[in-house]
């Protein structure tokens, strides 16, 4: 079985991720295979829409397969990660701008790189088991794959909150935050896919949607807007420390766990993108950070602690979320000049 299956069924182009034992984590070859498929169907008259799904109950896609990035980084090779991200971001932009409906079915974990594949389409379906998050700050990265734009477009200060705390969203919260569109019970998904293939008509998804329940973000919104309105990560940290409540304690625990530089840059990116009007602007800003991430060091340490040694005790470059000098944020996010993403050549 290949890691991804691309085929045409009826009126639909179908992409199925097939690495269930690895929670369908994206390899570099999978990124290229998905891109080849959607490029081929873009102008194909008998393909009306694209369906993206995955096998296995635990995850649609848990993120990018970062083991090779760790190995190459340990060797001092900065180019592998940069190439991976450059090509992955090109795929993210193509999915966001695709001229045909893109329908994704997001069971279980959809995180990081999985958001880039599953959450840029026109019809994003969640079910009972769906858990969506941008947890990159936990391994020394910023929310990327276009996720920073989704955070920016979320209501109020949810983008800042979700980006730096790595909070997981169930189906109701994912819809409220703008990461998903429709809740449909998972026992109806197979019949819905059959209907989509037969008709090529994505409007059947809207008719099948049900109310999603159990979310907490909407009720927490006043607190999130109050505490996460600071100008930078230091302000937010001081806001949270000023009060001793269940909410502030939980938020501070998350901030003290994740990489300080990554969180500080995440806040800066979300703020800068508030006036953005395209996913390309978000991907360009994200690439400034990821291009420099392996060399900076927190990324390699984050992978070591979370994936390699699994000791969950990363030694970050900064001692806390309020210890990041503004100049270091500026240095990570300054333009790349000749190394920047070149959309004219990429798309």
């Amino acid at each position: 079985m290949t890691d991804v299956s691309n085929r045409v069924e009826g009126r639909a182009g179908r992409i199925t991720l097939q690495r269930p034992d690895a929670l369908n984590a994206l390899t570099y070859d999978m990124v290229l295979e998905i891109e080849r498929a959607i490029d081929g169907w873009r102008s194909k008259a008998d393909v009306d829409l694209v369906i993206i799904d995955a096998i296995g109950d635990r995850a649609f896609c848990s993120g990018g397969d970062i083991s090779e990035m760790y190995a190459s980084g340990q060797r001092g090779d900065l180019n592998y990660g940069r190439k991976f991200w450059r090509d992955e971001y090109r795929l993210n932009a193509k999915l966001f701008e695709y001229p045909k409906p893109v329908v994704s079915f997001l069971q279980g974990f959809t995180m990081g790189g999985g958001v880039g594949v599953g959450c840029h389409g026109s019809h994003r379906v969640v079910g009972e088991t769906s858990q969506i998050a941008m947890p990159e700050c936990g391994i020394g990265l910023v929310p990327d794959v276009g996720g920073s734009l989704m955070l920016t477009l979320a209501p109020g200060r949810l983008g800042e909150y979700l980006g730096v705390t790595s909070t997981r969203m169930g189906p109701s919260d994912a819809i409220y935050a703008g990461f998903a569109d429709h809740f449909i019970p998972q026992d109806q998904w197979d019949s819905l896919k059959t209907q989509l293939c037969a008709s090529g008509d994505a409007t059947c998804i809207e008719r099948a949607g049900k109310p999603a329940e159990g979310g907490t973000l909407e009720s927490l919104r006043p607190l999130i807007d109050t505490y996460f309105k600071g100008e930078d990560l230091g302000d937010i940290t001081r806001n949270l420390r000023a009060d001793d409540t269940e909410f502030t304690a939980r938020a501070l625990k998350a901030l003290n766990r994740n990489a300080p530089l990554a969180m500080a840059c995440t806040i800066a990116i979300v703020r800068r993108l508030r006036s953005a009007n395209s996913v390309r602007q978000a991907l360009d800003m994200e690439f400034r950070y990821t291009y420099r991430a392996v060399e900076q060091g927190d990324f390699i340490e984050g992978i070591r602690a979370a994936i390699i040694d699994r000791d969950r005790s990363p030694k970050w470059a900064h001692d806390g979320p309020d210890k990041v000098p503004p100049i270091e944020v500026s240095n990570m996010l300054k333009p790349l000049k000749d190394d920047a993403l070149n959309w004219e050549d990429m798309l």
Side-chain angles (χ1 to χ4, degrees):
M1 182 172 65
T2 60
D3 289 341
V4 59
S5 170
N6 301 325
R7 72 273 187 204
V8 174
E9 294 183 4
R11 306 296 305 180
R14 297 208 55 181
I15 297 169
T16 301
L17 310 184
Q18 300 185 142
R19 297 186 72 208
D21 292 342
L23 299 182
N24 293 313
L26 284 178
T27 65
Y28 180 65
D29 287 341
M30 290 169 71
V31 168
L32 298 183
E33 284 295 316
I34 295 169
E35 182 183 32
R36 277 193 284 268
I38 64 172
D39 283 349
W41 298 328
R42 186 182 185 95
S43 58
K44 195 172 174 62
D46 57 352
V47 173
D48 294 326
L49 53 81
V50 174
I51 299 172
I52 306 178
D53 60 7
I55 64 173
D57 297 328
R58 297 174 63 197
F60 167 76
C61 176
S62 61
D65 189 333
I66 54 180
S67 56
E68 181 56 34
M69 289 190 186
Y70 178 81
S72 62
Q74 288 289 84
R75 297 192 300 267
D77 176 7
L78 305 180
N79 292 321
Y80 175 78
R82 291 169 178 175
K83 180 178 175 60
F84 189 114
W85 283 311
R86 191 183 297 272
D87 292 343
E88 183 181 23
Y89 293 0
R90 183 179 64 241
L91 170 64
N92 302 145
K94 287 181 177 181
L95 286 168
F96 190 96
E97 298 171 353
Y98 207 63
K100 298 179 180 182
V102 177
V103 184
S104 54
F105 290 86
L106 310 174
Q107 81 274 13
F109 296 126
T110 299
M111 299 182 177
V115 170
V117 171
C119 296
H120 286 323
S122 57
H123 296 72
R124 303 160 298 176
V125 177
V126 287
E128 298 91 330
T129 66
S130 298
Q131 293 284 316
I132 299 178
M134 298 299 293
E136 287 84 352
C137 286
I139 56 168
L141 282 183
V142 296
D144 66 335
V145 297
S148 63
L149 179 62
M150 303 176 72
L151 294 174
T152 300
L153 297 174
R157 299 296 182 179
L158 287 188
E160 289 91 335
Y161 172 76
L162 294 170
V164 299
T165 64
S166 305
T167 297
R168 295 179 182 179
M169 296 175 281
S172 178
D173 284 340
I175 292 172
Y176 178 68
F179 282 73
D181 302 299
H182 305 284
F183 172 79
I184 298 174
Q186 287 172 228
D187 61 3
Q188 299 178 23
W189 285 11
D190 285 345
S191 62
L192 187 56
K193 293 173 192 177
T194 299
Q195 188 176 351
L196 287 166
C197 291
S199 67
D201 181 6
T203 61
C204 64
I205 296 170
E206 298 160 16
R207 294 192 294 271
K210 304 287 193 299
E213 300 177 351
T216 61
L217 285 181
E218 188 169 8
S219 63
L220 288 175
R221 168 87 183 276
L223 291 173
I224 292 170
D225 288 353
T226 296
Y227 288 104
F228 283 79
K229 65 183 179 182
E231 287 301 312
D232 56 25
L233 181 65
D235 284 343
I236 291 170
T237 304
R238 287 185 286 274
N239 287 343
L240 291 166
R241 287 175 177 165
D243 292 321
D244 183 13
T245 68
E246 180 181 353
F247 175 83
T248 59
R250 189 169 62 247
L252 282 169
K253 182 178 180 180
L255 266 59
N256 288 322
R257 179 177 63 241
N258 292 337
L261 180 62
M263 291 189 293
C265 289
T266 296
I267 297 298
I269 290 172
V270 170
R271 298 292 164 79
R272 293 186 189 188
L273 290 174
R274 283 257 146 79
S275 60
N277 55 21
S278 80
V279 73
R280 299 186 194 185
Q281 291 173 270
L283 291 164
D284 176 74
M285 188 68 67
E286 296 164 2
F287 191 61
R288 297 180 189 185
Y289 186 98
T290 55
Y291 183 91
R292 299 178 171 108
V294 175
E295 192 171 21
Q296 186 272 332
D298 274 349
F299 177 50
I300 296 301
E301 173 62 9
I303 299 175
R304 181 207 64 76
I307 306 298
I308 306 302
D309 296 339
R310 297 179 182 272
D311 60 21
R312 305 292 176 180
S313 299
K315 296 176 176 59
W316 303 124
H318 301 84
D319 292 334
D322 56 346
K323 304 296 185 183
V324 182
I327 187 62
E328 295 192 33
V329 175
S330 297
N331 286 339
M332 290 298 288
L333 300 181
K334 64 186 178 183
L336 291 168
K337 299 182 179 179
D338 292 343
D339 293 316
L341 300 177
N342 186 331
W343 296 108
E344 290 186 6
D345 294 340
M346 290 169 62
L347 298 179

